[in-house]
Amino acid sequence: MPTAGLEDHLAEIRREGEAALAAAVDLRALEEARVRFLGRKGRIKELLKGLGSLTPEERPKAGAEINRLHDEFEANLEKRRAELEQLELARRLCEERVDITLPGRDSDVGSLHPTSLIIDEIASLFSRMGYDIHDDREIENDYYNFEALNFPADHPARDMQDTFFLESGLLLRSHTSNGQIHYMENHKPPLAVIVPGRVYRRDSDPTHLPMFHQVEGLMVGKGISMANLKWTLDTMMKTLFGPTAAVRLRPSFFPFTEPSAEVDMWFEPTPGKGRWLEMGGAGMVHPNVLLACRIDPEEWTGFAFGMGVERMAMVKYGVPDIRMLYENDIRFLRQFRGLSRIP
Ligand code: PHE
């Protein structure tokens, strides 16, 4: 390497190095430039290797010049690196920016459960008729679930309802009729109330579940009769199932009503093709029940009914197996979207 040409040669490499750094538009390109000039086989390293061919007199000056070029290039490289890192950061800030003006993503709105749809419709109808809507306890004691409702102790009528007893001696209410007692303890007649809610029985097959819903109805007033009961049930069924629905009462037995009746509904989904379906129980409030609530049965009479909500949902929506109501299959539940008629 002739010293005469060295300066020109260094100047050329300096220019090329500066051009390479300027041309590096990202960190990868910069790294390539670094290898090209400072790498083991890079242009500046090659220069240093060439020192061996110089005379001892020439060597120190040439070495110093080359080192200066080396340090200069390295400094420029770091400067360029800092610049590119800034650019990279600015680019990411821009690209990864959250645009808060974008419209939001809709959350997946579910639908009311068929059980809720039925309860809502019943609650809406009865509140329009002036009934109170009362929510009552599901963990109950023997008095409210049985005794005050005129179930004598150890009477076989208690077996009608296969009750879940808790270790504490309390129980899971087997019907919403407990609400009758609580309500009459706290309200003086005339009164009218419905009590929708969960009830529990030791039952499980295609038509029974260990937990299901009932709607209790109770009206106490002067001269309330079976006719009022029949009209009320009829109105409820027509509201829920259409004008062809009708109610038939069949003699039955409940300790808390006298007389008692099984409530059948005429259901005619297609004209000419109807059938009677059992929907619940009803009757005139037994005098002992009124007495337990300090209501004088000589002065007041009342009717009560209890309807199975899942049963109504199955009939209304054509659900063949009660268990489908509680499997939480989203494809099943989606079918009830938009069905609520209550504003
Ligand atoms: N509690 C009764 C049952 O669960 C239904 C009923 C309620 C009957 C009110 C008469 C009056 O079977």
Side-chain angles (χ1 to χ4, degrees), residues 3-279:
T3 28
L6 181 66
E7 271 182 27
D8 288 348
H9 194 48
L10 288 181
E12 191 189 319
I13 293 178
R14 175 175 286 115
R15 265 199 317 278
E16 279 176 27
E18 278 167 8
L21 291 181
V25 291
D26 58 28
L27 291 166
R28 228 190 52 196
L30 190 72
E31 175 60 13
E32 276 167 17
R34 188 191 66 79
V35 171
R36 200 139 46 85
F37 288 86
L38 298 181
R40 252 187 320 122
K41 290 187 177 149
R43 309 209 50 190
I44 296 177
K45 283 275 148 62
E46 297 279 281
L47 282 176
L48 288 169
K49 280 182 208 152
L51 282 176
S53 63
L54 297 180
T55 62
E57 295 78 41
E58 294 167 328
R59 233 175 266 159
K61 184 159 174 283
E65 288 288 319
I66 296 169
N67 275 335
R68 204 156 62 90
L69 176 62
H70 176 278
D71 294 348
E72 198 184 287
F73 182 85
E74 207 171 49
N76 286 337
L77 179 92
E78 288 315 314
K79 227 169 80 195
R80 183 67 181 146
R81 187 193 303 282
E83 265 170 37
L84 288 175
E85 277 171 357
Q86 273 303 316
L87 277 172
E88 170 74 7
L89 181 66
R91 186 188 62 77
R92 281 187 47 197
L93 282 176
C94 193
E95 260 179 22
E96 295 170 14
R97 185 183 57 181
V98 175
D99 183 353
I100 57 167
T101 67
L102 280 176
R105 246 177 247 137
D106 262 356
S107 52
D108 219 352
V109 180
S111 57
L112 283 179
H113 190 274
T115 305
S116 303
L117 288 171
I118 299 282
I119 290 177
D120 282 359
E121 269 196 69
I122 294 176
S124 162
L125 166 69
F126 279 93
S127 57
R128 272 180 278 139
M129 296 199 295
Y131 282 62
D132 202 358
I133 297 164
H134 175 68
D135 191 30
D136 220 313
R137 61 198 72 174
E138 293 169 29
I139 295 176
E140 191 50 283
N141 61 30
D142 181 272
Y143 179 78
Y144 290 99
N145 197 78
F146 292 123
E147 203 180 317
L149 287 161
N150 198 38
F151 284 82
D154 303 322
H155 191 279
R158 293 186 183 218
D159 296 341
M160 283 166 67
Q161 313 191 343
D162 234 334
T163 311
F164 285 109
F165 289 95
L166 307 176
E167 273 173 23
S168 57
L170 297 174
L171 50 85
L172 298 180
R173 69 171 173 192
S174 57
H175 51 183
T176 42
S177 302
N178 68 330
Q180 289 190 34
I181 307 300
H182 289 292
Y183 195 83
M184 286 192 281
E185 279 185 349
N186 294 303
H187 297 83
K188 294 275 144 264
L191 56 87
V193 62
I194 60 162
V195 188
R198 293 187 191 88
V199 301
Y200 303 85
R201 291 185 198 175
R202 295 156 61 94
D203 249 344
S204 190
D205 63 45
T207 52
H208 295 91
L209 288 174
M211 184 286 296
F212 58 102
H213 293 73
Q214 288 187 332
V215 175
E216 192 85 4
L218 172 71
M219 173 176 276
V220 179
K222 295 228 160 125
I224 297 295
S225 74
M226 250 354 224
N228 301 123
L229 170 63
K230 179 105 189 285
W231 180 89
T232 304
L233 293 171
D234 202 68
T235 301
M236 168 163 74
M237 296 313 186
K238 283 184 165 60
T239 304
L240 280 157
F241 297 96
T244 54
V247 162
R248 168 177 88 176
L249 299 179
R250 260 184 307 119
S252 185
F253 172 79
F254 299 102
F256 37 95
T257 45
E258 181 57 38
S260 301
E262 223 59 68
V263 180
D264 291 344
M265 174 184 73
W266 179 253
F267 179 59
E268 200 175 302
T270 39
K273 283 207 179 125
R275 62 209 147 108
W276 288 105
L277 300 170
E278 197 181 310
M279 305 301 282

